[in-house]
Amino acid sequence: MAAAEPKPPAGTAAARRLARGCWSAFWDYETPKVIVVKNRRLGIVYRAVQLLILLYFVWYVFVVQKSYQDSETGPESSVITKVKGITSSEHKVWDVEEYVKPPEGGSVFSIITRIEVTPFQTLGTCAESMRVNNATCDSDEDCVAGQLDMLGNGLRTGRCVPYYHGSSKTCEVSGWCPVEDGASVSQFLGKMAPNFTILIKNSIHYPKFQFSKGNIESRKDGYLKHCTFHEVSDLYCPIFKLGYIVEQAGENFTQLAHAGGVIGVIINWDCDLDLSASKCNPKYSFRRLDPKHVPASSGYNFRFAKYYKINGSTTRTLIKAYGIRIDVIVHGQAGKFSLIPTIINLATALTSIGVGSFLCDWILLTFMNKNKVYSHKKFDKVCTPGPSSGSWPVTLALVLGQAPPPPYPCSADPGQAGRLQGEGQSQAWAVPPAWPCPTSAPSEQMVDAPRRGAGPGLGASEPSQQDCALTDARALAQL
């Protein structure tokens, strides 16, 4: 007697069954099933969600954002500036060559409004500034010869000398003397500064659309010689008064001139190139860029020196300048109709409308009091019958990728098969007997109330004989 083959372990058998099940499920096909639920509240939610999505895409995406256009941001830009005007301080008259730094006329420049002057500095030895750390002393022992403080004004000599004024003493340094704090004189240049005029010449170019434009009107009647900027009447006269720029930035001119600050002149070119070029106009805005409420970083100043010789020795005048720095910033965006972004956004809008169905399905299958009935109606599993050999309609259905049709129409009456066989039809195939109809129809309507006279199965509905009639072999062959 042959020995029985050993059975595989239970775990191996379970793994094989799982693998076969996954492989079989991989080739399943899922198709939506249409169920009409007669529930007014659910219908209101569904239509409301669809309406909100539709309004979002129509109003915000297409009207506000203009997503039907191809866009380009960051235009190629050039800026040329020119300042004109004169002012005076306590000691002299200042012209534009002296108070504008740098003089090249770029997009960033400074207008000096107050200075602290330390004249006649020469190389020598003098008392260190009291603002420098560990600069005060009582005797020479408190000063270390050769010590160099990075925040100081020179190399220490090791001597303790009297300060420039008062009874205090500081360590002596070798450098440019006298130091800034000991002999500086303050001068205010801001008396006439609000009337300075600033010409800002700007040209932009969008290479994607080959579009260029400037902010100056092309006129030959000397228009720029007697105009100043006005947002309505003189938009293309980019000549601004310094006082107007500071006022539009919301600042006090006197305070800003004493402490200094940074003002941004922002030119925005937002152009809809579906319209004419005359509709593409610059928009100007002004705001302060440095944090004025932070004492450690507010204000603006810088130092420079003027060198000359007196009796053969090099002498300089050190100037600490406070001023208003102007930063001209240009940005913008141009858009023009394009078919590709239009199709993409339309497809996104149509796809997003399906969110309403997903939300209502979730409510239907989670919160409704008959969710199990709805779930039973919504999800069906259909197994196709095995093909019959020698039936060419079945072979045709397999080639078309459809489920094999039954040999002839299904019938709820098993006696119908005998009647059909007795009719003597001239067909090229035999008609086998019918099988029972399936218990669920492909499309049903559901009412959110139990049917009158229904039994315990609230969701079960008897399919009509017309719905369960399947296509016969001759109708399939006519495909």
Side-chain angles (χ1 to χ4, degrees):
M1 184 174 181
E5 294 182 359
K7 294 183 178 180
T12 304
R16 290 179 179 175
R17 288 194 299 270
L18 179 61
R20 285 196 299 267
C22 293
W23 179 254
S24 177
F26 177 77
W27 300 106
D28 290 346
Y29 168 69
E30 296 180 0
T31 183
K33 180 179 181 181
V34 179
I35 299 178
V36 179
V37 180
K38 298 296 185 178
N39 186 297
R40 186 174 297 274
R41 288 178 296 178
L42 192 63
I44 292 175
V45 172
Y46 177 61
R47 297 305 179 189
V49 172
Q50 284 187 326
L51 180 61
L52 290 176
I53 294 174
L54 190 62
L55 288 177
Y56 167 77
F57 276 95
V58 171
W59 178 77
Y60 182 75
V61 175
F62 286 98
V63 177
V64 178
Q65 296 294 325
K66 297 182 179 179
S67 298
Y68 57 87
Q69 292 181 333
D70 188 10
S71 63
E72 181 181 10
T73 58
E76 298 173 354
S77 171
S78 69
V79 175
I80 300 174
T81 58
K82 184 182 293 186
V83 182
K84 288 186 178 181
I86 59 172
T87 187
S88 63
S89 63
E90 291 81 354
H91 302 89
K92 60 175 290 188
V93 175
W94 297 74
D95 61 9
V96 67
E97 287 77 13
E98 294 180 288
Y99 63 74
V100 175
K101 302 291 180 182
E104 287 82 5
S107 60
V108 179
F109 59 94
S110 302
I111 298 176
I112 299 174
T113 53
R114 185 171 73 89
I115 59 174
E116 293 179 357
V117 182
T118 306
F120 306 114
Q121 279 189 328
T122 57
L123 291 173
T125 58
C126 57
E128 177 64 287
S129 171
M130 296 186 66
R131 295 184 181 182
V132 178
N133 190 27
N134 297 325
T136 58
C137 60
D138 294 324
S139 63
D140 294 345
E141 297 177 354
D142 298 330
C143 301
V144 180
Q147 183 179 5
L148 183 64
D149 193 325
M150 290 294 104
L151 299 179
N153 294 281
L155 186 68
R156 294 188 182 182
T157 62
R159 296 176 56 197
C160 185
V161 296
Y163 197 57
Y164 300 95
H165 47 79
S167 58
S168 301
K169 292 183 178 182
T170 59
C171 294
E172 186 182 56
V173 294
S174 175
W176 288 98
C177 294
V179 297
E180 183 180 32
D181 297 336
S184 62
V185 178
S186 178
Q187 300 181 36
F188 183 67
L189 287 67
K191 183 184 299 183
M192 301 297 295
N195 295 320
F196 293 168
T197 59
I198 305 172
L199 169 65
I200 302 177
K201 187 187 300 183
N202 176 226
S203 299
I204 57 101
H205 176 67
Y206 287 103
K208 179 183 287 188
F209 306 111
Q210 294 298 312
F211 177 81
S212 301
K213 196 170 184 180
N215 67 337
I216 295 180
E217 188 173 3
S218 57
R219 293 172 58 174
K220 298 181 180 180
D221 55 354
Y223 172 66
L224 289 178
K225 293 182 179 180
H226 55 78
C227 72
T228 55
F229 174 80
H230 189 275
E231 190 174 1
V232 177
S233 60
D234 294 294
L235 180 62
Y236 282 88
C237 176
I239 299 178
F240 305 86
K241 287 188 176 182
L242 182 59
Y244 173 81
I245 294 176
V246 174
E247 179 185 358
Q248 291 298 310
E251 299 295 325
N252 180 276
F253 189 89
T254 303
Q255 296 178 358
L256 189 66
H258 273 87
V262 183
I263 300 295
V265 178
I266 302 166
I267 307 176
N268 186 24
W269 292 86
D270 281 344
C271 300
D272 186 355
L273 299 184
D274 292 329
L275 307 176
S276 64
S278 61
K279 301 296 182 180
C280 177
N281 298 314
K283 293 182 179 179
Y284 298 89
S285 59
F286 312 88
R287 68 182 186 91
R288 185 167 181 175
L289 301 179
D290 63 306
K292 64 178 181 179
H293 300 296
V294 182
S297 59
S298 64
Y300 174 72
N301 63 78
F302 59 96
R303 290 176 175 84
F304 64 97
K306 296 181 178 180
Y307 293 86
Y308 48 92
K309 286 186 177 291
I310 297 180
N311 298 326
S313 62
T314 302
T315 307
R316 78 176 188 182
T317 297
L318 177 65
I319 300 174
K320 182 179 181 180
Y322 295 82
I324 301 174
R325 195 181 89 171
I326 304 296
D327 289 12
V328 181
I329 304 170
V330 181
H331 60 81
Q333 177 175 334
K336 194 172 185 179
F337 174 79
S338 178
L339 188 61
I340 293 177
T342 303
I343 294 175
I344 292 174
N345 285 282
L346 280 175
T348 304
L350 295 176
T351 304
S352 300
I353 293 178
V355 174
S357 300
F358 174 79
L359 177 63
C360 291
D361 281 349
W362 178 66
I363 296 174
L364 185 70
L365 300 175
T366 306
F367 300 104
M368 303 295 285
N369 56 358
K370 299 184 182 64
N371 54 359
K372 291 185 178 180
V373 177
Y374 300 143
S375 178
H376 175 73
K377 291 291 183 181
K378 183 172 179 60
F379 302 105
D380 279 346
K381 184 176 181 181
V382 179
C383 296
T384 58
S388 59
S389 60
S391 177
W392 69 265
V394 173
T395 305
L396 177 61
L398 290 174
V399 172
L400 295 177
Q402 300 176 356
Y408 89 103
C410 66
S411 173
D413 183 9
Q416 184 180 0
R419 292 193 300 271
L420 290 176
Q421 290 179 355
E423 290 179 359
Q425 299 177 0
S426 58
Q427 299 180 359
W429 55 85
V431 181
W435 61 71
C437 294
T439 57
S440 61
S443 177
E444 302 181 29
Q445 287 192 352
M446 295 185 64
V447 182
D448 192 23
R451 295 186 179 179
R452 187 174 302 176
L458 296 176
S461 60
E462 302 224 354
S464 63
Q465 187 170 356
Q466 181 182 0
D467 290 335
C468 69
L470 301 178
T471 307
D472 59 11
R474 179 176 298 177
L476 181 60
Q478 292 176 356
L479 292 175

